[in-house]
């Protein structure tokens, strides 16, 4: 054993304790810095954002479900208009029909359209260079009142408008408030504004607000291309929380918001949302009481600051040629040009290879051990995610209701902590078992090697996420290169400094990633935790009771002591898991989620229950008994969806009417003018044409639509029209041939509990936040 200041047990213990304390405090500070600010009371200064004032708006907006076209949504719209007029503004309603298009159509096996009524108004600037658009949707899903999604965004914009007008200082640029309709139905409100509204013609910068949960920080998760100048502006907000890694993830997900229509139309902008507490997403539990007012404060405080920042800039001069890499670190938004991503990744790899060469030259590890360590370093990054996914599978087996949750359980924090503890267990036990055989220096180089190697393909394929491995690898390599040249005691602060970078970079990302992807993808959180563990190996080695090279009984005793952290992490994993199962129980306020629909075939006067639950819960099995299958033959609006079904009593419900208004011959066929009229209050109506008939052109509600869609089940062209007007939907079809045309019309309401045979859900059983939950569909065939 070498006799040095650092190898003497008392001094080594003190150095280790100090190092770990510094890293723990840095991790706490890094996570704390991304939490939302405290909600401000309604006594806050007139020019400031107050969550309490905004929350008063949410109570009104989200008093009940208000999907597009409903009487409840009309009431909300009237309230918005009255509120804006009270601020001295002149709101207008954009009442039009909008076509979303095939790419983003609903499950209706065709194009989505809607009658939308956007609320639009403008706060004039002194010398506008381009408008700043504040966008949120005021409609809700039919299954819940939408306090978070998106009454929070609407209320934040109203409170921002109040603060801007109350302050009396006019901004340079116009600020346009766009409160969209029918977002939940088909994103049709935003599309209508972008395509048809005069204020959209000049372009500008869009700030969209969304929510996919009930709590947590507001994360700026999506940007337009060439975002460097916009990210610089966002960095000036009070609590800037955003990561370019989130942009990369979101591009891979099949999700869209109102921001999509603006981005695809060439607008520049930023998209923000808070996403934790996703169990209430689209559900009846998305009530004002479920909303975290600190998250609302973060939502609006950043929006107001960013509006003022962009409102004073020359927006025409914004550079949109370069993307930035950015991430939160101790209260600031670290950012650097995207052009540095690949060079930094290569530099990190070179630095790690140089460290390995130096370690070998100094005799700290042989080349053979370095190669072995690099191979063995893959074990924790593979094993930890696999075990995390196994944990979630076990939790679902114990509590099958979890399979019906949209993203996360109601109280996921304990399970997330269990995943982190499980990954820590894997890294700590792996390190202790291999440290004597392979060597601490070799293992540290091996861990840093994979961090650096991962950084290169990330820099090429997903440049916004490369910093997650590149910066930790570079910091560990540079600190190692310095530490190996100084005295052992002086090496401690160098090693700690190198470890601070991965802690500050990765810890907040792990915290943000869990709610973004949910427990069903817990393996990704475990993967990043394992990477953090590999980056911390030099610091962890300081806490090992035996210096590298110890032998004999002392080494054996110290190796046993070294297992204590790993065992402690495993005990923590067990405690967190057990606590999660104990506290996350289903009850009246936190119900398990079930899905049920009712469909009546007016041709045969037969009905059936339908459910999209893959593993139906006990309550749902009262209604559906058959294995999942397509229902498109009689319900083409559902396209290729697989649904469970069961027989139901037939209700006395009128079918939608399809009337041939006129027809005229056309080249190779004829043109049909139809009127589709729901005979009851309907959230949407659909029409499909038999696949045997080719539709060459179609106009719905005065808007041309694509004709190349195929619904399946023997049906071809079709559309879904949300919020249909009382007078019905005008449809013009140009078809080939002169023979009979088979049509299938369907409309849908949301009153399944009124159907014969329905039994109320017991306490603790609730409604799944699906766009088809509680739906009652009536379908009828016509021959024209």
């Amino acid at each position: 054993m070498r006799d040095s200041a650092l190898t003497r047990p008392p001094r080594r213990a003190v150095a280790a304790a100090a190092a770990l304390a510094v890293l723990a405090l840095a991790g706490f500070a890094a996570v704390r810095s991304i939490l939302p600010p405290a909600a401000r009371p309604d006594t806050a200064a007139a020019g400031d954002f107050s969550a309490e004032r905004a929350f008063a708006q949410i109570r009104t907006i989200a008093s009940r479900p208000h999907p597009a076209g409903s009487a409840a949504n009309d009431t909300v719209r009237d309230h918005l208009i009255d509120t804006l007029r009270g601020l001295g503004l002149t709101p207008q309603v954009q009442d039009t029909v909008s076509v979303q298009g095939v790419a983003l159509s609903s499950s209706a096996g065709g194009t989505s359209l809607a009658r939308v009524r956007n609320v639009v108004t403008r706060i004039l600037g002194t010398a506008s260079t381009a408008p700043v658009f504040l966008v949120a949707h005021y409609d809700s899903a039919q299954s819940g009142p939408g306090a978070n999604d998106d009454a929070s965004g609407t209320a934040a914009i109203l409170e921002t408008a109040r603060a801007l007008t109350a302050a009396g200082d006019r901004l340079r640029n116009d600020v346009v408030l766009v409160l969209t309709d029918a977002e939940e139905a088909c994103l049709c409100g935003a599309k209508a504004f972008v395509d048809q509204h005069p204020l959209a013609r000049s372009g500008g910068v869009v700030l969209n607000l969304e929510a996919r949960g009930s709590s947590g920080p507001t994360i700026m998760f999506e940007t337009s291309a060439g975002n460097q100048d916009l990210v610089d502006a966002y960095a000036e907000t009070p609590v800037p929380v955003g990561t370019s890694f989130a942009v990369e993830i979101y591009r891979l997900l099949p999700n869209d918001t109102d921001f999509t229509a603006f981005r695809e139309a060439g607008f520049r902008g930023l998209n923000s949302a808070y996403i934790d507490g996703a169990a209430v997403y689209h559900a009846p539990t998305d009530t004002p009481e479920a909303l975290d007012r600190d998250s609302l404060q973060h939502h609006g405080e950043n929006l107001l600051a960013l509006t003022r920042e962009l409102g004073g800039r020359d927006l025409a001069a914004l550079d949109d040629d370069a993307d930035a890499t950015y991430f939160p670190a101790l209260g600031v938004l670290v950012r650097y040009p995207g052009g540095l991503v690949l060079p930094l990744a290569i530099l990190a790899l070179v630095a790690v290879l140089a460290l390995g060469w130096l370690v070998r030259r100094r005799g700290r590890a042989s080349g053979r051990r370095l190669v072995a360590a690099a191979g063995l370093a893959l074990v924790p990054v593979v094993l930890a995610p696999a075990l995390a996914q196994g944990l979630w599978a076990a939790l679902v087996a114990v509590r099958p209701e979890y399979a019906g949750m949209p993203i996360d359980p109601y109280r996921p924090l304990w399970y997330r902590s269990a995943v982190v503890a499980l990954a820590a267990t894997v890294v700590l036990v792996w390190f202790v078992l291999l440290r004597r055989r392979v060597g601490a220096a070799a293992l540290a180089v091996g861990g840093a090697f994979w961090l650096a190697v991962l950084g290169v393909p990330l820099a090429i394929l997903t440049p916004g996420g490369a910093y997650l491995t590149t910066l930790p690898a570079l910091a560990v390599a540079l600190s190692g290169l310095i530490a190996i040249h100084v005295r052992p005691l002086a090496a401690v602060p160098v090693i700690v400094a190198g470890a601070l970078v991965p802690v500050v970079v990765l810890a907040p990302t792990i915290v943000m990633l869990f709610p973004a992807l949910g427990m069903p993808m817990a393996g990704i959180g475990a993967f990043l935790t394992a990477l953090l563990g590999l980056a911390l190996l030099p610091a962890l080695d300081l806490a090992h009771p035996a210096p590298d090279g110890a032998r004999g009984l002392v080494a054996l005793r110290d190796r046993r002591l070294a297992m204590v952290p790993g065992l402690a992490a495993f005990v923590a994993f067990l405690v967190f898991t057990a606590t999660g199962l104990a506290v996350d129980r289903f009850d009246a306020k936190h119900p398990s989620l079930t899905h049920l629909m009712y469909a009546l075939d007016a041709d045969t006067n037969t009905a059936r229950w339908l459910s999209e639950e893959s593993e139906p819960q006990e309550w749902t099995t009262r209604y559906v008994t058959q294995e999942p299958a397509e229902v498109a033959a009689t319900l083409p609006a559902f396209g290729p969806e697989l649904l469970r079904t069961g027989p139901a009593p037939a209700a006395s419900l009128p079918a939608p009417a399809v009337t041939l208004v006129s027809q005229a011959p056309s080249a190779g066929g004829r043109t049909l003018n139809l009127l589709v009229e729901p005979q009851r209050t309907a959230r949407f109506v659909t029409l499909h044409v038999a696949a045997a008939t080719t539709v060459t052109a179609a106009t719905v509600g005065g808007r041309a639509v694509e004709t190349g869609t195929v619904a399946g089940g023997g049906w071809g062209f079709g559309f879904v029209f949300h919020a249909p007007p009382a007078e019905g939907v005008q449809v013009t079809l140009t078809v080939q041939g002169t023979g009979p045309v088979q049509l299938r019309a369907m409309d849908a309401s949301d009153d399944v509990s009124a159907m014969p045979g329905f039994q109320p859900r017991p306490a603790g059983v609730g409604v799944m936040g699906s766009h088809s939950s509680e739906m009652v569909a009536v379908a009828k065939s016509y021959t024209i």
Side-chain angles (χ1 to χ4, degrees), residues 152 196 242 264 368 379 432 460 549 748 778:
S152 64
Q196 302 176 39
E264 292 183 346
R368 186 175 180 178
V379 172
V432 171
I460 297 171
V778 181

Side-chain angles (χ1 to χ4, degrees), residues 184 255 414 572 612 619 659 722 735:
E184 297 291 1
N255 301 335
W414 293 105
E612 63 181 30
W619 182 84
T659 304
H722 298 271
V735 300

Side-chain angles (χ1 to χ4, degrees), residues 1-8 364 488 547-550:
M1 183 184 299
R2 291 174 297 166
D3 184 18
S4 72
L6 190 58
T7 59
R8 295 169 192 160
R364 302 290 181 89
D548 212 3

Side-chain angles (χ1 to χ4, degrees), residues 658-682:
V658 178
T659 304
L660 177 62
V661 178
S662 65
Q663 61 179 316
S666 62
R670 54 181 172 150
T671 298
L672 308 175
N673 293 311
L674 309 172
L675 179 64
V676 181
E677 296 177 280
Q679 302 299 298
R680 60 198 183 101
T681 302

Side-chain angles (χ1 to χ4, degrees), residues 483-572:
I484 207 168
H485 285 94
V486 300
R487 296 175 62 85
L489 195 58
V492 173
V494 175
I495 291 172
V496 172
L500 284 173
V501 173
V503 167
V504 169
V505 169
L506 286 171
T509 304
I510 293 170
V511 170
M512 290 188 288
L513 192 67
F514 271 115
L517 300 178
M519 279 299 298
M521 299 183 70
I524 297 180
F527 174 75
L528 287 182
T529 303
L531 290 183
L532 175 58
L534 292 180
L536 294 181
L537 289 183
L540 292 175
D541 188 57
L542 294 175
H544 197 283
D548 212 3
R551 298 287 187 272
L553 293 177
V554 173
L556 178 62
R557 179 204 64 193
D558 288 344
R559 283 200 301 277
R560 289 174 177 173
L561 289 175
M563 292 298 294
V564 171
L567 292 174
F570 183 69
V571 170

Side-chain angles (χ1 to χ4, degrees), residues 305-374:
L306 190 54
T307 302
R308 284 176 169 151
E309 175 69 23
L310 293 171
R313 290 194 177 195
D314 180 0
L315 299 183
L318 289 179
D319 184 5
D320 59 0
D321 291 333
D323 275 324
T325 288
Y326 56 94
F327 56 91
L330 301 177
V332 300
L333 195 71
V334 177
R335 56 204 185 275
Y336 54 87
L340 293 179
V341 170
L342 186 56
L344 281 174
I346 294 173
L347 177 61
L349 183 57
V350 171
V352 170
L353 294 175
L355 177 62
W357 174 82
L358 188 59
V359 165
R360 181 174 179 275
R361 184 175 180 182
R362 290 295 183 91
R364 302 290 181 89
S366 65
R368 186 175 180 178
R369 287 194 172 190
L370 286 169
V371 172

Side-chain angles (χ1 to χ4, degrees), residues 3 99 117 163 171 362-363 377-378 392 394 405 434 438-439 450 469 579 645 772 774 778:
D3 184 18
V99 182
R117 283 167 280 192
L171 301 177
R362 290 295 183 91
L378 287 174
W392 178 244
M405 303 301 290
L434 294 178
V438 181
W450 284 112
T469 59
T579 304
T645 63
S772 56
E774 308 297 276
V778 181

Side-chain angles (χ1 to χ4, degrees), residues 595 597 610-614 627-632 638-645:
H595 179 274
M597 297 180 287
L610 303 96
S611 177
E612 63 181 30
E613 292 181 42
S614 56
E627 290 299 311
E630 285 191 10
V631 296
F638 289 95
E641 283 191 74
L642 300 180
L643 300 173
R644 292 181 179 270
T645 63

